[in-house]
């Protein structure tokens, strides 16, 4: 919901923060006093804490192992993979799951962005921080609904480490931290200079990636009292076309007949007649319905053989099966073109005893271009007044009875045509990101304080070409006196003028903006010395204002762009919060932690979220730990503001399957999903648990095993597609089965955002690390393994489990829920040399929508495509320090050139699962150099 922006006075804000903080702290302070007074060895003055801060806590610690499971990723671990961006690396984490947003999903709602989805709960439920503070979200919401933080705005060379908190953290950070937190920690100071350059290229000679970074800094905070540095990161990556992978089996084609799947069931092949010629047929030559037949069936226009790249088609086969062609191979990008510049700078100034004034600036500009298949002239889509149907009924696109290309003169002929002559649909996103932070931290008596003001924003322009304007197409094809001219199609497209194409396919655009303003104030201190160490307390308050807006694509508010759904939103949120945290090492072997936070929204809603933790260390090398946390995610402007959404997904149609159980009717097919915002939405809520063991028998060996569960209720989601179909809340085509009413193909499904579902996700994370000193060198080995035990979703009283299946395809990409993801890395260091290898494993998927559900794709003989095979790749990298100043490095991703398994179900990639992207690209080489100077 869009709320008026209130501007309370500073006094009111301080009074609110004070009241909230006092209310939250009173109970825990009583506990603190009791613990302190019962400690016989308590000192008159508590021991000061060392300044070690770990993600998930505001209290400085003397060690990094907390009751919460935190994965710390070092810069070395990132470098050894050969990944050149923060986003590419984080999406290889074993804890990343369904709802992750790769840069390759260029035709998605959030094209050009990149996001991470911990535990598969969606990018909107994973909080991404930069140096412990929020950033403005990406301008485009994923699936038109979920706002998220774009990882591609962060310069990799400035990254010091990444800390991934794998349990709920709303008690510390507020909304959005249901699934966990990714805290990207950049350098805090730097002296000297580093110049890096790299060049990458696939074995096929494409996808060239050029990158250069410069990091320079001066001043020493201790000796000079100040430090300032900046990091500049520029790069350009060329697009890779689907056609460039013709040698990679199903990756380079939409035609799956060679692998046993019919043309009708190959979702990326075009032109096929479906259901006995009563639907389908969008081909480069075009086809029309002969209404004199019962039922009306498609008749192809001439010219197929000269317009398709699929050989062996005859006039008889075209009349029977349609003109088959390969639009994805001809026009679609496998990976988009990118150009970017990222800048980060920080300056620090010391004062007094341990005081520091600091400021950070960040700027990013990224341009992404993605080419997709040409538009059709029929189909369905949605806009605020409901669905549009260009396939049948009064809104159908037709050739006029006198159109020169109409093969049935005198009949107003419903047309199926893929507008190859207009060209591909191309989307260009230009996103600018900015961030400014100024703060001060230091000590005041026994208290340590840190306060800062943050402003961050994004401004994104989305420009599209190659899309068709509905009203203009209707005029140019159905009106012989159309002012814009008569559109000749297929074989005769060469007769058209550029003016006609400008008329039917104008350039369209949309603009998205987001902003974040935040003020926070945190204090911490040691209250007393307990038997296990200092009793730590942290108090804080926070105010933030977020806004998100998206203007709709040109003409989509009128439903006048064929196949392009409406998406728009506008809203602002003001949030006030107070929080308290306590860390109590009551015994040398036992640490208790607790935190509670209260968030008050301007709309009147309030939410308190607690978190409790315990760590028991019976002996030095064994620790047992457990946490309990509650979390929440508030509705965002895309969900409860002004606007709406029309998108596309895949769904089964039980009505058609029951009437005529063919593979085409029973498999998942593309449908339009029209969703309305809901101002009455409540926040999502969650409860999370973790229980783990930490073993460190030697200084070079460590093992952590953590079992975890997150249960999310009041989930904000689109109403069930399956339920809407069952309820008949759909728009159907006129291709009835045996004339039975209500059996036409589904064109669109009507839904709204609702608090209707709940999810329960449960699994086990294992992290093993071992170091060996062998002769003159050192061998480092590590393994991360995430095993998902349950991913249950309850909707309308029915519970399904997605683990090990291709579900849930209602979230972006339709990548499924693998049961296991494993990364195994090893590095050999000897003198100036180091060599690293990383094995990445993703387990197989049962090709069903959920456990015990229906298969989603079929072979031509009617047997199901039962599974998507597991996928394993091996990456290799090496470094040579020629001297103290100069380093050479190289990497090979997918060393053994593994091909991604066939996936005929997902819409996130052409016949491959986006999880297996490296298997679509193939072997990829990168060489680089680094020069360090003073």
């Amino acid at each position: 919901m869009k709320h008026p922006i209130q501007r309370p006075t500073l006094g009111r804000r301080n009074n609110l923060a004070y009241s909230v903080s006092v209310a939250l702290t009173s109970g825990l302070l009583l506990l603190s006093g009791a613990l302190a007074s019962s400690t016989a060895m308590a000192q008159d003055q508590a021991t000061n804490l060392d300044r070690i801060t770990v993600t998930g806590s505001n209290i400085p610690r003397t060690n990094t192992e907390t009751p919460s499971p935190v994965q710390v990723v070092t810069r070395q671990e990132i470098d050894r993979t050969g990944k050149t961006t923060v986003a590419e690396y984080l999406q290889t984490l074993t804890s990343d799951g369904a709802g992750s947003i790769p840069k390759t999903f260029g035709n998605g709602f959030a094209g050009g962005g990149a996001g991470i989805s911990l535990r598969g709960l969606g990018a909107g439920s994973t909080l991404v921080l930069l140096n412990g503070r929020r950033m403005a979200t990406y301008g485009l919401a994923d699936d038109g609904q979920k706002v998220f933080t774009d990882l591609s705005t962060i310069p990799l060379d400035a990254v010091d480490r990444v800390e991934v908190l794998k349990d709920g953290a709303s008690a510390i950070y507020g909304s959005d931290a249901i699934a966990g937190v990714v805290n990207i920690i950049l350098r805090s100071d730097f002296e000297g200079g580093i110049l890096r350059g790299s060049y990458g290229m696939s074995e096929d000679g494409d996808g060239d990636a050029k990158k250069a970074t410069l990091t320079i800094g001066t001043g020493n905070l201790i000796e000079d009292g100040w430090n300032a540095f900046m990091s500049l990161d520029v790069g350009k990556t060329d697009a890779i076309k689907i056609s460039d992978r013709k040698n990679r089996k199903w990756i380079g084609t939409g035609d799956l007949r060679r692998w046993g799947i019919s043309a009708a069931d190959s979702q990326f092949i075009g032109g096929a007649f479906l259901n006995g010629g009563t639907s389908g047929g969008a081909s480069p030559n075009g086809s029309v319905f002969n209404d004199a037949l019962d039922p009306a069936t498609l008749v192809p226009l001439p010219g197929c053989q000269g317009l398709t790249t699929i050989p062996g088609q005859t006039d008889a086969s075209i009349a029977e099966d349609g003109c088959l062609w390969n639009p994805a191979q001809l026009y679609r990008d496998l990976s988009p073109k990118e150009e970017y510049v990222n800048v980060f700078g920080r300056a620090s100034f010391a004062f007094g005893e341990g005081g520091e004034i600091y400021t950070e600036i960040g700027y990013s500009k990224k341009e992404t271009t993605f080419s997709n298949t040409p538009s059709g002239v029929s189909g369905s889509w949605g806009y605020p007044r409901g669905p549009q149907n260009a396939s049948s009924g009064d809104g159908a696109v037709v050739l006029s009875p006198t159109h020169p290309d109409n093969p049935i003169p005198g009949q107003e002929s419903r047309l199926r045509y893929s507008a190859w002559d207009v060209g591909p649909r191309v989307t260009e996103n230009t996103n600018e990101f900015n961030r400014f932070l100024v703060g001060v931290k230091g000590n005041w008596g026994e208290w340590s304080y840190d306060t800062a003001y943050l402003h961050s924003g994004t401004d994104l322009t989305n420009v599209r070409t190659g899309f068709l304007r509905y009203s203009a197409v209707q005029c140019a094809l159905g009106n012989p006196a159309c002012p814009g001219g008569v559109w000749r199609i297929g074989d005769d497209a060469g007769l058209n003028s550029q003016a006609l194409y400008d008329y039917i396919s104008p350039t369209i655009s949309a603009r998205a903006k987001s902003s974040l303003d935040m003020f926070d104030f945190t204090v911490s201190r040691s209250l007393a010395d307990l038997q296990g160490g200092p009793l730590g307390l942290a108090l804080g308050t926070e105010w933030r204002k977020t806004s998100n807006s998206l203007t709709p694509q040109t003409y989509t508010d009128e439903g006048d762009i064929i196949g392009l759904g409406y998406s728009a939103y506008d809203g602002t949120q003001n949030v006030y919060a107070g929080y308290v945290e306590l860390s109590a090492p009551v015994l040398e072997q036992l640490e208790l932690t607790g935190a509670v936070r209260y968030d008050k929204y301007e709309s009147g809603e309030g939410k308190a979220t607690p978190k409790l933790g315990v760590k028991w260390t019976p002996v030095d090398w064994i620790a047992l730990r457990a946490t309990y946390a509650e979390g929440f995610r508030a509705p965002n402007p895309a969900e409860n503001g002004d606007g709406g959404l029309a998108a596309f997904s895949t769904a089964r149609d039980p009505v058609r399957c029951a009437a005529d159980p063919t593979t085409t009717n029973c498999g998942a097919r593309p449908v339009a999903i029209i969703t309305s915002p809901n101002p009455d939405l409540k926040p999502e809520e969650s409860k999370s648990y973790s229980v783990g063991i930490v073993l460190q028998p030697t200084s070079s060996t460590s093992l952590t095993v953590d079992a975890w569960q997150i249960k999310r209720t009041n989930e904000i989601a689109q109403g069930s597609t399956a339920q809407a179909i069952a309820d008949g809340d759909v728009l159907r085509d006129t291709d009835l089965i045996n004339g039975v009413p209500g059996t036409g193909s589904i064109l669109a499904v009507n839904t709204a955002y609702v608090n209707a579902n709940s999810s329960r996700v449960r699994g086990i994370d294992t992290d093993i690390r071992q170091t060996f000193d062998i002769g003159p060198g050192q061998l480092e080995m590590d393994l991360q393994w995430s095993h998902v035990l349950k991913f249950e979703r309850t909707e309308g009283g029915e519970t399904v489990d997605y683990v090990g299946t291709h579900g849930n395809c209602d979230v972006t990409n339709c990548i499924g829920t693998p049961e296991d993801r494993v990364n195994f890395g090893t590095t050999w260091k000897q003198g100036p040399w180091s060599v690293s290898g990383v094995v990445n494993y993703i387990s197989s998927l049962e090709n069903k929508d959920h456990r015990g559900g229906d298969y989603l794709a079929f072979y031509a003989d009617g047997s199901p495509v039962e599974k998507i095979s597991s996928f394993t790749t091996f990456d290799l990298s090496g470094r040579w320090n020629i001297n103290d100043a100069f380093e050479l490095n190289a990497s090979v991703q997918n060393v053994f050139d593994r091909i991604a398994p066939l996936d005929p179900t997902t819409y996130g990639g052409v016949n491959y699962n986006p999880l297996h992207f490296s298997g679509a690209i193939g072997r990829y080489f990168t060489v680089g150099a680094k020069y360090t100077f003073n």
Side-chain angles (χ1 to χ4, degrees):
M1 177 182 295
K2 183 177 180 180
H3 306 294
I5 301 175
Q6 298 180 7
R7 301 185 183 277
T9 64
L10 184 62
R12 176 188 171 190
R13 188 178 303 152
N14 285 344
N15 289 337
L16 175 63
Y18 176 80
S19 300
V20 171
S21 297
V22 168
L24 291 174
T25 56
S26 57
L28 283 176
L29 285 174
L30 289 173
L31 174 63
S32 303
L35 289 171
S37 62
S38 65
T39 305
M41 300 300 294
Q43 300 174 0
D44 292 338
Q45 183 173 349
T47 303
N48 289 327
L49 294 172
D50 293 335
R51 299 298 298 177
I52 300 175
T53 304
V54 180
T55 299
S57 175
N58 288 309
I59 299 176
R61 301 175 54 84
T62 57
N63 60 74
T64 59
E65 281 295 344
T66 71
S68 295
V70 179
Q71 179 182 350
V72 180
V73 180
T74 65
R75 181 56 190 263
Q76 175 189 318
E77 291 177 85
I78 299 174
D79 288 342
R80 72 182 183 184
T81 64
K83 307 298 183 185
T84 57
T85 68
V86 173
E88 287 178 353
Y89 177 80
L90 289 177
Q91 288 173 348
T92 67
L93 294 178
T94 61
S95 52
D96 188 32
S100 182
I101 305 165
K103 69 172 186 178
T104 56
F105 195 35
N107 59 323
F109 273 97
I116 183 173
S117 171
L118 293 177
R119 309 304 189 196
L121 290 172
S125 292
T126 300
L127 180 61
V128 176
L129 305 175
L130 185 65
N131 289 340
R133 289 184 169 94
R134 293 171 178 256
M135 299 187 292
T137 56
Y138 189 54
L140 298 176
D142 178 39
D143 286 337
Q145 173 198 359
K146 311 172 193 75
V147 296
F148 68 97
T149 302
D150 180 20
L151 298 170
S152 60
T153 60
I154 301 166
L156 179 60
D157 203 53
V159 174
D160 180 67
R161 67 188 186 278
V162 179
E163 295 181 351
V164 183
L165 177 66
K166 297 183 181 180
D167 65 356
S170 288
I172 305 298
Y173 300 112
S175 178
D176 306 335
I178 284 178
V181 177
V182 176
N183 187 11
I184 301 167
I185 301 170
L186 307 185
R187 304 174 190 267
S188 58
D189 58 41
F190 181 74
E191 292 182 74
I194 297 177
L195 179 64
R196 295 177 187 257
S198 66
Y199 179 80
M201 183 176 65
S202 76
E203 189 173 55
D204 289 283
D206 53 19
D208 295 20
K210 311 172 190 71
K211 180 178 179 180
T213 63
L214 173 64
T215 302
I216 54 175
T218 184
N220 186 289
L221 194 62
I222 297 176
E223 297 178 1
D224 304 324
W226 66 279
N227 175 262
F229 77 94
M230 62 86 66
S231 183
L232 172 67
D233 183 6
V234 297
K236 178 181 178 181
T237 303
D238 293 340
I240 299 176
K241 311 291 289 186
I242 294 288
S243 58
D244 296 330
R245 292 299 178 271
K246 293 178 182 178
N247 62 331
R248 295 189 72 77
K249 297 183 178 180
W250 43 79
I251 304 297
T253 181
D255 187 357
L256 297 180
R257 290 177 296 171
R258 280 178 288 170
W259 297 279
I261 296 175
S262 70
D265 292 325
S266 300
Q267 65 168 311
F268 294 104
I269 199 171
F273 289 172
L274 308 177
N275 304 306
T278 60
S279 60
S283 59
N285 60 311
S287 54
V288 298
F289 283 93
N290 185 350
D291 292 332
L293 301 177
D294 187 16
T297 54
L298 287 162
V299 176
L301 275 65
C304 172
Q305 291 92 334
L307 296 171
T308 181
T309 57
I310 296 178
Q313 300 188 68
T314 64
D315 291 342
S317 70
I318 294 167
E320 179 71 20
D321 302 321
C323 177
L324 306 182
W325 77 307
N326 216 332
Q329 186 182 79
L330 293 171
Y331 296 99
R332 180 162 167 161
D333 286 341
L334 181 65
S335 180
K337 174 186 175 183
E338 290 184 331
E339 296 184 34
Y340 62 87
V341 54
N342 296 324
V343 181
F344 175 79
R346 179 182 170 93
S348 305
F349 305 91
F351 70 90
E353 293 294 327
E356 181 183 333
I357 299 172
Y358 58 91
T359 184
E360 297 175 358
I361 59 169
Y363 174 79
S364 171
K365 183 176 182 179
K366 181 181 178 183
E367 298 177 355
T368 306
T369 303
F370 184 83
S371 176
N372 203 0
T373 56
S375 174
V377 300
S378 58
S380 61
W381 60 98
Y383 75 119
R385 291 199 295 272
Q388 291 278 43
N389 180 6
S391 295
S392 57
D394 294 338
V397 170
V398 299
L399 292 180
S400 71
T402 60
H403 192 287
D405 296 320
N406 191 343
I408 309 176
Q411 174 187 280
E412 193 174 66
S413 302
R414 286 179 293 140
L415 176 66
R416 301 293 184 265
Y417 178 61
S418 187
W420 64 271
D421 50 317
V422 174
R425 288 169 292 176
V426 178
T427 300
E428 297 180 356
N429 286 326
T430 301
N431 183 48
E432 292 189 79
F433 167 85
N434 64 78
R435 182 176 184 267
F436 171 75
L437 173 75
V438 60
V440 58
K441 61 183 179 180
N443 301 310
W444 183 24
E446 298 301 315
W447 294 91
S448 297
Y449 63 88
D450 189 352
T451 184
Y453 167 75
L454 168 69
H455 171 78
S456 181
T458 64
D459 188 348
L460 183 144
T461 303
N462 176 281
V463 178
R464 305 191 188 211
T465 58
F467 288 78
L468 298 176
R469 189 173 183 186
Y470 182 33
S471 58
V473 167
Q474 286 181 308
C475 179
L477 294 173
N479 181 3
C482 180
V486 175
W487 183 11
R488 302 298 301 274
I489 62 174
D491 244 2
D492 295 320
L495 301 175
N496 297 316
S497 67
Q498 184 59 48
L500 172 82
Y501 288 126
D502 293 341
Y503 172 66
I504 63 174
S505 181
T507 297
I508 60 176
S509 64
R511 189 170 184 182
K513 290 186 175 183
S514 71
S515 68
L516 166 67
D517 288 279
M518 187 174 82
F519 171 80
D520 61 46
F521 181 75
T522 302
V523 294
S524 62
R525 64 164 294 170
S526 301
L527 295 176
D529 279 351
L530 305 180
Q531 292 186 22
L535 171 65
L537 171 70
L539 302 169
T541 187
E542 176 185 303
W543 163 81
R544 70 177 186 273
K545 182 177 76 173
T546 61
S547 65
N548 296 82
S549 66
L550 171 65
T551 61
Q553 287 283 342
T554 314
Y555 305 124
T556 59
D557 56 339
E558 306 167 9
D560 206 26
I561 298 297
I562 292 177
L564 185 58
Y566 171 86
S567 179
Y569 42 82
D570 188 9
T572 300
Q573 290 178 334
N574 275 279
V575 186
Y576 308 89
Y579 47 89
V580 58
E581 182 185 359
L582 192 67
S583 174
V586 292
L587 301 172
E588 290 186 8
Q589 299 85 12
L590 182 63
E591 177 186 359
L592 303 177
T593 61
V596 64
R597 175 182 174 118
Y598 184 79
D599 288 82
K600 179 70 173 179
Y601 283 77
E602 186 181 42
S603 58
E605 299 171 338
K607 180 63 179 174
T609 47
K611 182 171 185 177
L612 300 171
V614 58
K615 186 177 77 169
W616 178 46
T617 310
V619 294
D620 289 343
W621 60 278
I622 298 178
L624 302 175
R625 61 189 181 188
T627 63
Y628 166 79
E630 296 181 9
F632 76 104
R633 183 181 76 82
N636 64 57
E639 296 165 332
N640 69 352
D642 298 326
L645 168 69
F648 289 88
S649 185
T650 56
R652 293 184 68 257
D653 184 353
V655 174
R656 287 185 69 85
C657 184
D660 184 15
T662 65
T663 59
T664 300
N665 290 332
C666 294
R669 308 293 302 179
V671 295
I673 311 291
I674 301 169
T675 310
S676 302
N678 182 354
D680 298 322
L681 289 173
K682 294 183 167 86
E684 296 179 343
E685 298 182 357
S686 70
K687 293 182 179 180
S688 62
Y689 312 83
S690 71
V691 178
I693 183 171
V694 180
L695 303 176
Q696 192 167 8
T698 70
S699 60
S700 60
T701 306
S702 69
L703 166 68
T704 64
V705 180
D706 291 283
W708 52 270
Q709 175 177 290
I710 300 173
K711 184 173 182 179
R712 184 171 61 181
T713 56
N714 278 341
E715 284 186 344
I716 301 171
Q718 295 171 339
S720 167
T721 301
Q723 190 60 50
I725 294 172
D727 293 341
D729 197 3
V730 298
L731 173 68
R732 291 186 178 271
D733 205 347
T734 57
D735 55 337
L736 305 180
I737 296 176
N738 299 323
V740 177
T743 59
S745 297
I746 294 176
L747 297 174
V749 179
N750 296 307
T751 66
Y753 292 119
V754 292
N755 290 110
N757 310 324
S758 65
S759 294
R760 184 175 63 165
V761 192
R762 181 191 302 163
I764 299 174
D765 287 341
T766 302
D767 191 312
I768 305 173
R769 298 174 186 268
Q770 176 68 60
T771 301
F772 299 98
D773 291 321
I774 304 175
Q778 187 179 72
L779 179 66
E780 299 175 352
M781 305 172 70
D782 62 271
L783 179 143
Q784 294 82 43
W785 173 23
S786 291
H787 177 71
V788 183
L789 297 168
K790 289 281 185 185
F791 199 128
E792 294 178 333
R793 186 181 186 189
T794 300
E795 183 175 359
E798 179 186 6
T799 299
V800 297
D801 190 354
Y802 296 122
V803 169
T805 75
H806 216 309
N808 173 13
C809 276
D810 286 342
V811 298
T812 190
N813 276 315
C814 184
I815 64 175
T817 310
E819 195 169 11
D820 294 287
R821 291 190 67 172
V822 180
N823 293 341
F824 172 68
T826 182
T827 299
W828 171 258
K829 298 178 180 178
Q830 182 175 338
W833 296 89
S834 69
V835 179
S836 299
V838 179
V839 177
N840 307 281
Y841 169 79
I842 301 171
S843 62
S844 63
L845 298 173
E846 193 176 13
N847 196 29
K848 294 183 176 182
D849 50 1
H850 57 83
R851 285 186 172 182
D854 299 308
Y855 286 108
L856 298 175
F858 298 86
Y859 293 107
D861 62 4
S863 61
V865 180
E866 294 185 356
K867 73 173 185 176
I868 312 303
S869 299
S870 63
F871 187 56
T872 304
T873 58
F874 176 65
D875 303 328
L876 183 67
S877 66
R879 297 178 180 276
W880 176 33
N881 293 302
I882 298 175
N883 52 43
D884 290 341
F886 197 64
E887 175 194 286
L888 295 177
N889 54 75
S891 67
V892 184
Q893 297 182 57
N894 194 2
V895 170
F896 299 111
D897 199 24
R898 296 287 307 278
I899 296 177
L902 172 64
D903 186 342
T905 299
T906 184
Y907 54 82
V910 177
N911 301 323
Y912 74 92
N913 194 301
L915 283 172
H916 308 148
F917 175 67
S918 61
I921 295 296
R923 191 178 289 120
Y924 195 91
F925 302 91
T926 302
V927 294
K930 181 177 81 169
Y931 179 67
T932 304
F933 56 93
N934 295 320

